[in-house]
């Protein structure tokens, strides 16, 4: 959601040290891991003609009082009944951000209720939610226009069409996990990245776009890989495994080019190539503030982004209720330090194979091997999540099925 500048309450950042300190305070909040969250995003389609464009006004009427202000400036932007916030992305994708819960079972039950409420509203308007990570039928087209989105499009267009495809056609599944105790932060940070490629491969759903086979298992991730790497590449990699997470992230954020510079008018276009560090050094007419820095961080899109918690951003949207499976797998892998350590070890051989995962999925043998090992770990840790019996049984069965698919993938 686009927020208006609030420079009166913000604190001017005098130098890079002040900026790094502020980022460290807001992006890594350590302590006992107690909460888990999920954000679900979907493309939206006409129920009678999936390839028909859905315009802004139709979407606004369907969402009613839950419309975000980017879609309807007069909307109260009410949460759904179980406290999920509704947002709409620039291509008309609908996203719900569930309120974090202390258990996976509670999160699944509350989020399923909110998804059902959302589906009912869309169904009444003759609309349905998509089932994959990229629009299989339609070409990219804007639905919501804001100063942020116009500036984003301008910046991405300098590198080619991938930015528009990402903005207008993709849909993801984001899992949110606590950063954990200080002594476990580095391991959880590394594991959150390392398990990304094999789980991306295992849960890829985005092989068709705009009526064509793309040649990618996840064309959604392909678009992210083709956008400016200064804001989309992973912060952690095996080559930088010993780097402190806080230092790695603050360096990444300050070195990233500005995507937009907020102002009172409609044009938020940022000068090409100017980084936040450049802004701190005087590259723009006014000095940056803490509010500017926090907004800048919201324009960075690495596979794992720290926001006080760890936001795992690399999974494709899943069909129907299948989103509960990758959510539960990740929660199980991070259920205790020993399991997380073993997950990091299992994924380490493929921790940097993001492109291969997006291109080949489980057809890439090392990725399939790692995915099978991660599913084994998740099955072992599943009882520790204390899921309701019906959810436990269904999830256990589905993870076993996914594990079998991974096993077939590397034969």
């Amino acid at each position: 959601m686009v927020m208006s500048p609030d420079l009166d309450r913000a604190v001017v950042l005098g130098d890079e040290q002040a900026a790094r300190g502020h980022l460290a305070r807001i992006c890594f909040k350590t302590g006992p891991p107690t909460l888990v969250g999920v954000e679900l995003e979907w493309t939206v389609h006409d129920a009678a003609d999936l390839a028909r464009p859905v315009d802004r006004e139709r979407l606004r009427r369907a969402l009613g009082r839950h419309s975000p202000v980017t879609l309807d400036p007069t909307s109260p932007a009410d949460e759904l009944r179980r406290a999920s916030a509704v947002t709409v992305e620039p291509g008309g994708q609908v996203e719900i951000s569930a309120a974090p819960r202390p258990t996976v079972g509670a999160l699944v039950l509350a989020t399923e209720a909110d998804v059902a409420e959302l589906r009912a509203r869309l169904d009444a308007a003759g609309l349905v939610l998509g089932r994959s990570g990229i629009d299989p039928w339609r070409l990219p087209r804007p639905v919501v226009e804001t100063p942020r989105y116009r500036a984003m499009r301008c910046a991405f267009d300098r590198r080619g069409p991938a930015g528009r495809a990402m903005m207008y056609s993709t849909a993801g599944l984001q899992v949110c996990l606590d950063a954990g105790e200080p002594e476990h932060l580095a391991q959880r940070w590394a594991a959150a990245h390392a398990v990304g490629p094999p789980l991306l491969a295992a849960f890829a759903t985005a092989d068709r776009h705009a009526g064509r086979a793309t040649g990618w298992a996840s064309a959604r991730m392909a678009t992210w890989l083709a956008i400016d790497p200064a804001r989309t590449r992973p912060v952690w990699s095996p080559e930088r495994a010993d780097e402190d997470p806080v230092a790695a992230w603050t360096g990444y954020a300050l070195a990233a080019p500005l995507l937009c510079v907020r102002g009172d008018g409609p044009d938020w276009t940022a000068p090409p190539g100017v980084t936040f560090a450049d802004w701190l050094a005087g590259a723009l007419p006014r000095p940056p503030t803490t509010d500017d820095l926090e907004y800048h961080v919201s324009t960075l899109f690495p596979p794992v982004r720290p926001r006080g918690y760890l936001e795992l951003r690399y999974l494709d949207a899943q069909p129907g209720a299948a989103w509960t499976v990758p959510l539960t797998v990740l929660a199980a892998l991070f259920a205790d330090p020993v399991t997380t350590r073993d997950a990091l070890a299992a994924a380490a051989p493929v921790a940097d194979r993001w492109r291969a995962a997006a291109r080949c999925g489980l057809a890439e043998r090392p990725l399939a091997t790692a995915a099978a090992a991660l599913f084994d770990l998740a099955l072992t840790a599943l009882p520790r999540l204390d899921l309701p019996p019906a959810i436990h049984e269904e999830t256990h069965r589905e993870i076993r099925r996914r594990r079998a698919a991974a096993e077939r993938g590397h034969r």
Side-chain angles (χ1 to χ4, degrees), residues 194-204 314-315 326 329-330 333 357 367 370-371 374-375:
V195 303
L199 293 185
L200 165 63
F203 292 104
Y314 39 72
L315 295 169
V329 167
L330 280 164
L333 294 177
L367 287 163
L374 293 176
F375 289 140

Side-chain angles (χ1 to χ4, degrees), residues 197-199 201-202 342-343 345-350 353 361-377 402-411:
L199 293 185
D342 292 345
V350 295
R353 298 188 65 78
L362 292 178
E364 177 87 358
R365 179 169 182 169
L367 287 163
T369 300
L374 293 176
F375 289 140
D376 284 338
L377 288 169
R402 297 278 182 166
R403 193 215 178 279
E407 189 70 25
R408 291 194 300 270
H410 70 64
R411 286 177 183 166

Side-chain angles (χ1 to χ4, degrees), residues 246-272:
V246 177
W249 172 244
T250 54
Y252 183 104
L254 297 183
L258 302 174
L259 190 63
C260 58
V261 179
R262 296 171 299 163
D264 295 329
D267 186 3
W268 291 9
T269 306

